[in-house]
Amino acid sequence: MNNPPTLSAVVLCAGKGERTGLPYNKVLHRIGSKTVLEQTLDTFTRIPFERITVVVPNAEMQVFEEIIKQYPNVCAVTGGATRAESALNGLLAYRSDIVVIHDGARPYTSKELILRSIASAAEYGSGVAAVRCTDTVKRIDDSGKIQSLDRSRLFNMQTPQTFEYDRIVQAYRTVKELCTDDAEVYERAGYEVKLVDGEYSNIKITTAGDLFGIADNCRIGVGFDVHRLVEGRPLVLGGVKIDYSRGLLGHSDADVLIHAIMDALLSAANYPDIGVLFPDTDDKYLGISSVTLLEEVVKLVRDKYAITNVSAVIAAQKPKLAPIIPQIRKKLASVLGIDISRINVSATTTEGLGIIGSGDAIAADASCILTENNRK
Ligand code: MG
C-alpha cells in the first residue's frame, strides 16, 4: 500500500427506489437547488479521491452523465442485475489502495465520517459506518414466538463502507450468497469487519416520508432596514451606484437593500444580526462597501447552508428603480454565488405616506430560504 494510500470511491445509484413512489430515480430528486446525487458528490469531491465511480442504471446513463460532468474525476458505469453485480462493476472501474463504497441515496453523510472510515480501512482493512439501534428489535420465529434482542449489542449499518481494495474485490468475486451490504460480503469472505461511528443524520432516502423530511432542512430568514436620504451622499442599492441627487446616510455606504438581505441570511442561519457582527462603533466599517460585508456573510452562511433563494422589496418614493433592478439582481446574484433566477427584487412607493413617501428615507425588506448542505 502506498503511503498515504491511494483512494477511490464507488457511489451506488443503480437501485430502483420504488418505495419513494417517485417516477424517476430517487437520487435525481432535488433537495433545494441540488439533486440528492449532487449533494452526495459535493461532499465526496472534498476528499482527494483519484476517481469517484457512480454506478447507474443503463436506461438513465444520459441523465446521470449530464450531472456528473460538472465534477472532475467522477465517471459513470452501468450497474448489473443485482446489488452485488453493480458494486463489482463499480469496483472494477478503477483500482486504488482503499475504496469507499457509498449509497448515492445518503446525501447527508459528512466529510468527517468518510475520513473516519478511510482511516479505519488504512489501519485495519475495513471501516464500516454504523450507529447503535435506537429502536427495540424483536425476532419472530417460524411458530410466531417473539424473542426480544439485547439492544446494546445491535447496530444499524450505514455507508460509507470502506475497504482495502484488493480484499473487497476478491470477496465480491468469491462470495455467492445474497448479501445486503458490502460488509457482509467482506465478512463472508473471512475478513474482520471494523465498525466506525456513523451518524444518525446520515439517513438513506427510502420512502416518500424521507423526501418530505428533507423539507425540514430548509430554513427561512427575514431582514428589514431603513436609512435616511440626505444630500451629499452617493446612493447605493444592491451594490449598484444610482445617479440621484441624494444618498443614504449611515456608518457604512448605507446600502439598505444589502443590509436587509444580510440580516435575512444571518437570521435563517441562526447567527446574530449585522448590528452585532459589524457594529457601527467600529471604525473598520466606516464608509465600507456593503458588498464587502455581504461577501463575509455569504462565506459564513455557506459553510453550512446552500442559498436556495432570496426575495426582497425596496420601498422608495424616488428615484424610479424599475430600470435599475435588472442590474441590481445581476450584482447580487454574483455576490451571493447563485443563479439570477434565485434572487428577485421588487420596488414600491408608499403612495406619498410617511418618511419614505416624503422622499426622506428608503427601506428594504428581504426574505431567504437556506437549505442545509452538510458540507462541513
Ligand atoms: Mg442599515
Side-chain angles (χ1 to χ4, degrees), residues 106 128-131 155-159 161 181 183 193 195:
R106 288 187 193 268
V128 172
V131 288
F155 288 82
N156 287 319
M157 295 298 119
Q158 301 184 330
T159 68
Q161 301 200 352
D181 70 349
V193 173
L195 299 185

Side-chain angles (χ1 to χ4, degrees), residues 224-227 249 252 254-256 259-260 263 274:
F224 172 77
D225 197 20
V226 58
H227 281 262
L249 182 65
S252 65
D255 187 330
V256 69
H259 291 188
D263 269 348
I274 52 171

Side-chain angles (χ1 to χ4, degrees), residues 254-319:
D255 187 330
V256 69
L257 174 59
I258 288 191
H259 291 188
I261 290 173
M262 287 194 287
D263 269 348
L265 293 169
L266 290 166
S267 169
N270 199 25
Y271 284 111
D273 61 31
I274 52 171
V276 176
L277 289 185
F278 314 118
D280 61 9
T281 47
D282 191 336
D283 278 352
K284 194 162 79 174
Y285 303 117
L286 186 66
I288 197 169
S289 162
S290 296
V291 168
T292 309
L293 302 180
L294 180 59
E295 282 166 353
E296 266 188 55
V297 167
V298 167
K299 215 164 116 193
L300 196 65
V301 163
R302 287 181 81 109
D303 190 43
K304 283 195 200 147
Y305 302 97
I307 301 169
T308 300
N309 80 307
V310 175
S311 171
V313 53
I314 308 168
Q317 197 65 36
K318 272 184 180 173

Side-chain angles (χ1 to χ4, degrees), residues 19 63 80 83 115 118 129 134 150 179 197 239 241 246 276 289 297 306 323 327 331 333 347 352 357 363 372:
R19 277 177 287 172
V63 192
R83 189 188 182 284
L115 292 175
I118 291 171
T134 52
D150 177 4
C179 299
D197 284 336
K241 219 167 151 190
R246 309 167 90 186
V276 176
S289 162
V297 167
Q327 220 182 316
K331 176 72 184 174
E372 278 180 45

